[in-house]
Amino acid sequence: MTNFTFADGIRQAIAEEMDRDPAVFVIGEDVGESGGVFGVTKGLWDRFGPDRLWDSPISEEAIVGAAVGASLVGGRPIAEIMFSDFSMLAMDMIVNQAAKTHYMTGGKLSSPMVVRMITGTNGSTGAQHSQSLESWFTHVPGLKVVAPSTPEDAKGLLKSAIRDPDPVMFFEHKGLYTGRGGPAGDVVEVDPIPFGVGRIHRAGTDVTVVSYLKTREYALAAAETLAEEGISCEVFDPRTLVPFDYEGLRASLEKTGRLLIAHEAPARGGFGAEIAAWAAENCHDVLRSPVMRVGGHNTPIPYAPVMEQFVLPMTERITDSIRALVQNPSRQLQSL
Amino acid sequence: MTDALTRTTARTAAGITLEEGLELLRKMTLIRRFEERAARLRAAGFIPGFLHPCSGQEAVAVGISAALRKDDVLTSNHRGHGHLMGRGADPAQMYAELFARSTGYNAGKGGSLHMIDADLGFLGANGIVGGGIPLATGAALQLKRRGSEAVAVTYFGDGASNEGAFHESLNLAALWKLPVLFVCENNLYGEFTRQSEHMVLENVADRAAAYGLPGVVVDGNDVLAVKKVAEEATERARSGMGPTLIEAKTYRHKGHFEGDMARYRPKEEVEAWLKRDPLLLFPEVLREELGATDAELDAVRESVEAQLDRDIEWAKEQPHPTPEDALRHVYVDSHNGKALR
Ligand SMILES: Cc1ncc(C[n+]2csc(CCOP(=O)(O)OP(=O)(O)O)c2C)c(N)n1
Ligand SMILES: [Mg+2]
């Protein structure tokens, strides 16, 4: 059996792209010899050395700003922000600089760069190391937003992100590459995966469940349980949030007529709201029940495991919500 | 700057009584033993989150706190246990928080990275490197506005001095003569990266010159030297003369976090610093300059250990929060157990 993990996918995409294009380089905290806090860049140092791995001081604004600047003059930087929470310190460079470069310059300049961010909740890392902030970036025109849920998708999408002509925000859920998702080593060939193409992980007829990153696993587990009860779920992973595979989603809704969106980020203002609004506007003709969202509760992420598990949309909450949506939609909406 | 080092490390043990000296030793011992037990408790599954042990750096927190008054306030970083106990925090409530219990300092919501004791003016550890520095600057602004003589202290590392927040805060505090002690614990590493790989200057304190405030280097393993520079800096701050940057040269005995084997550090370097362990150096001072007896020194350790064992037993018996407690405290005005939609 191959042992190809999420961390392997990320590392191999970086290595293969660095082999392919000398303009590609990595910049971030402890990305050099030590191989990163999660060991994801381990081994790259011996192969590529300090000209390809810029192990930086703890200076997020300068890290991302340097990546933007390098991208303006021919570089293809991959900036690593250890925890996506720390991207807040680099927001000016992402939002006011990178996102608008191409537009503001009338198309004369562009900023082809990737910001890799470790995201999500896993193992009591607390309120400042656990957030799911992807929807913030989807709100900023000019940024592309990628959120893979499998090792293959991680590898193929990161390759595309590195080759992409625009700034790409690339989210990696820590729950997908700690423990058994950590570096293992088998190499699997994966071609670049185009943005804006979703993936159906399980076909079904009663309800379309949109989920991404770690939540996709919970959605699949929910689908498994519900299948035994005679409820057939189609689990749809958009893989990229911007651009979003609306054609794929529409095709799925034409089969199922019901839509539930599950993500770890707080429901309020999460990307699920965007998908729901789109469906309300564009799929009214095929929908046979209200659209539903299951998100994290609208709280910061607490430290204690019992509270942490409670705020997350885990399998049970997703299962209950789908059941209610299919069986009794109006009542469930009140208690959401 | 070497002048500054020799000037500030000149020992003045005469400045304290034996009783005061034993109290300093008690606090440093408490911190060390607390951290050792926390590591074991984490391995045994009692502590779910990160731990960044401060063993080896105790003299900084204890020396600084010895110069503070009750109305002073503090902010800290991710390596904050010593800063808390230096200020007099209750280890029992600290353990309860680490165990994620509802009677812990942060009601189980914060853990090690966010621990506070508001009654002591301890405004919190911080998970964001550099995050506490502007907070202390702002606290100092309010203290000054209020006409109080209190000061704000912020602890951070050598690595944090590369964040924009550090530079912006130093400039602001110098400009407005805010009563701040910027205390840099230079333990020679930021995570796995040596200081020489993350900045060109040898002394973080030299950065002060760029903003027009004094920068002082002190031996961070000498609790009395730290106390002395802290007294000078607090006096400056209380008399309206503004902030001071204090760089305490020290070393963390363990890895960056519990579980990091710290293989990136040369063995000789670790051994050299272990010989300069503040918990070896200070008992010698107490013995030689204040005539402390072996029995007195042993009694400190024994009482600390007995206290910590009781604190741990207490903390283990504390209740867990309920899942729904997660919904409390999102806003000040929503204590009814429901998060706003
Ligand atoms: C803004 C931000 N960037 C990065 C990190 C990850 N991180 C946590 S501690 C640390 C090293 C800090 O080094 P230093 O300031 O020297 O403190 P020390 O750990 O040595 O006490 C890093 C990079 C973080 N928590 N916050
Ligand atoms: Mg340090």
Side-chain angles (χ1 to χ4, degrees), chain A residues 58, chain B residues 57 77-79 156-160 184-191 193 195 198 250 252 256:
Chain A
I58 312 172
Chain B
Q57 306 185 181
N77 63 356
H78 53 282
R79 206 175 299 288
F156 54 93
D158 48 299
C184 178
E185 292 179 289
N186 185 347
N187 58 14
L188 305 186
Y189 289 83
E191 256 177 28
T193 304
Q195 185 198 339
H198 73 63
T250 183
R252 58 167 153 80
H256 171 59

Side-chain angles (χ1 to χ4, degrees), chain A residues 29-105:
Chain A
E29 293 160 20
D30 284 310
V31 296
E33 203 170 356
S34 67
V37 173
F38 293 93
V40 172
T41 45
K42 214 162 222 124
L44 296 183
W45 180 263
D46 293 337
R47 254 184 82 195
F48 294 101
D51 181 53
R52 307 301 291 281
L53 295 157
W54 289 80
D55 200 327
S56 75
I58 312 172
S59 309
E60 287 75 17
E61 186 169 7
I63 291 167
V64 176
V68 181
S71 75
L72 298 178
V73 292
R76 288 279 177 163
I78 306 167
E80 180 181 315
I81 295 291
M82 203 181 297
F83 288 78
S84 68
D85 313 64
F86 313 156
S87 70
M88 298 296 104
L89 284 76
M91 233 29 191
D92 178 62
M93 288 295 143
I94 296 171
V95 175
N96 289 328
Q97 307 298 341
K100 299 165 175 55
T101 300
H102 193 61
Y103 191 81
M104 291 190 299
T105 60

Side-chain angles (χ1 to χ4, degrees), chain B residues 29-43:
Chain B
T29 309
L30 182 74
I31 296 168
R32 176 71 55 86
R33 303 294 171 224
F34 180 97
E35 296 289 58
E36 286 168 0
R37 283 164 171 70
R40 287 201 294 271
L41 288 160
R42 186 170 186 278

